[in-house]
Amino acid sequence: MPIWQKPISLDILNSGNKGTALESLGVEFIEIGDDFLRARVPVDKRTIQPYGLLHGGVSVVLAESLGSSGAHFSSPEGHRAVGLDINANHLRSARSGWVTGTTRPVHRGKTTQVWAIDLVNEEGELVCVSRITMAMLLPR
């Protein structure tokens, strides 16, 4: 049973990136499941740090974008989701290719939501694990 309560599609998700940091970094939403979202970011000159590795901040941008989108689209119409807290553990470096993130809900409450995000390299190895807590703002 899908958890999405607002209209959702890859076109809706990706068109929301226009003119944002996500567009500048090359982030693409690539899959919507019944209870997960998946997006990816290229490891290239836009996203690496001086040592040639995917910048940890870019991993967090991808994680926050996935968790925030999940919270937004799984909440009723009129509700808004804003980030309260995010953490990230960087487990492995990425030097090329794509890093793909998948988010799933841990808790979907009325006033808060918690989403887990796993980022993997092209070999399926964990690059980063993250968790975001979202405040759910009710309609005024």
Side-chain angles (χ1 to χ4, degrees), residues 38-52:
R38 190 165 286 140
R40 66 185 189 165
V41 67
V43 182
D44 64 19
K45 66 180 182 177
R46 298 170 289 180
T47 61
I48 60 170
Q49 41 92 313
Y51 297 123

Side-chain angles (χ1 to χ4, degrees), residues 17 23 42 45 111:
N17 291 353
E23 181 180 44
K45 66 180 182 177
T111 58

Side-chain angles (χ1 to χ4, degrees), residues 9-53:
S9 69
L10 291 177
D11 191 48
I12 290 170
L13 289 165
N14 286 313
S15 66
N17 291 353
K18 300 288 187 239
T20 71
L22 298 182
E23 181 180 44
S24 297
L25 295 172
V27 172
E28 306 171 351
F29 284 89
I30 58 172
E31 189 176 355
I32 301 166
D34 284 350
D35 69 343
F36 72 90
L37 294 177
R38 190 165 286 140
R40 66 185 189 165
V41 67
V43 182
D44 64 19
K45 66 180 182 177
R46 298 170 289 180
T47 61
I48 60 170
Q49 41 92 313
Y51 297 123
L53 310 173

